[in-house]
């Protein structure tokens, strides 16, 4: 991974790593290798944005944060709440791309997906500067 990061950085590019799962045991190593962002944040398994922000805020761009269970079976209010929490813990200078935890999968409730987009627009701008988007 370190070689991939160095190659991207040598070309003035960012390296965004995708991986699912509970990564607390290896996330420090991924950051040390030089990743700029991580896609695949799954709050339903303990990878919550408040905890990630507390530990890695300002060092890593987070991509995700809305759980698939909420998008598939949850209420629109649940989806909105996940987006609100994610945006409120985002660093003032950005560092968060609001998205579902993985990819938009078969079974995602369309109304919940729209609720995610509306909530991202609503909560994605912090008064002191750029927020989630």
């Amino acid at each position: 991974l370190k070689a991939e990061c160095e190659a991207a950085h040598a070309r003035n590019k960012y390296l965004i790593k995708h991986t699912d799962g509970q990564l607390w045991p290896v996330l420090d190593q991924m950051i040390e290798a030089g990743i700029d962002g991580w896609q695949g944040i799954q709050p339903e398994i303990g990878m919550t944005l408040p905890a990630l922000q507390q530990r890695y805020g300002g060092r890593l761009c987070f991509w995700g944060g809305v759980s698939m269970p909420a998008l598939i079976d949850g209420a629109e209010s649940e989806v909105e709440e996940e987006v609100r929490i994610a945006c409120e813990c985002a660093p003032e200078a950005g560092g968060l791309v609001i998205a579902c935890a993985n990819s938009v999968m078969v079974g995602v409730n369309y109304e919940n997906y729209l609720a995610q987009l509306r909530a991202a627009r609503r909560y994605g701008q912090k008064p002191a500067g750029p927020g989630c988007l």
Side-chain angles (χ1 to χ4, degrees), residues 108-121:
V108 166
N109 178 311
Y110 182 66
E111 294 304 319
N112 286 352
Y113 181 76
L114 293 178
Q116 174 185 300
L117 297 178
R118 284 191 305 270
R121 287 185 194 102

Side-chain angles (χ1 to χ4, degrees), residues 20-127:
D20 296 333
Q22 208 277 15
L23 296 183
W24 289 117
V26 297
L27 200 48
D28 284 329
Q29 294 168 340
M30 291 170 59
I31 292 171
E32 287 172 20
I35 68 169
D36 301 293
W38 168 41
Q39 192 274 332
I41 298 167
Q42 297 174 271
E44 68 272 20
I45 61 169
M47 301 305 293
T48 66
L49 283 165
L52 287 162
Q53 172 60 19
Q54 181 179 16
R55 188 162 173 183
Y56 300 110
R59 297 174 48 203
L60 187 63
C61 177
F62 306 116
W63 189 319
V66 180
S67 69
M68 290 309 300
L71 287 169
I72 292 171
D73 294 320
E76 289 179 40
S77 60
E78 180 183 351
V79 172
E80 181 174 335
E81 181 66 4
E82 288 192 12
V83 172
R84 184 192 65 75
I85 290 168
C87 289
E88 285 184 358
C89 75
E92 293 296 331
L96 174 63
V97 177
I98 283 291
C100 55
N102 193 312
S103 62
V104 180
M105 297 180 175
V106 172
V108 166
N109 178 311
Y110 182 66
E111 294 304 319
N112 286 352
Y113 181 76
L114 293 178
Q116 174 185 300
L117 297 178
R118 284 191 305 270
R121 287 185 194 102
R122 180 175 181 188
Y123 299 112
Q125 188 67 31
K126 292 188 175 187

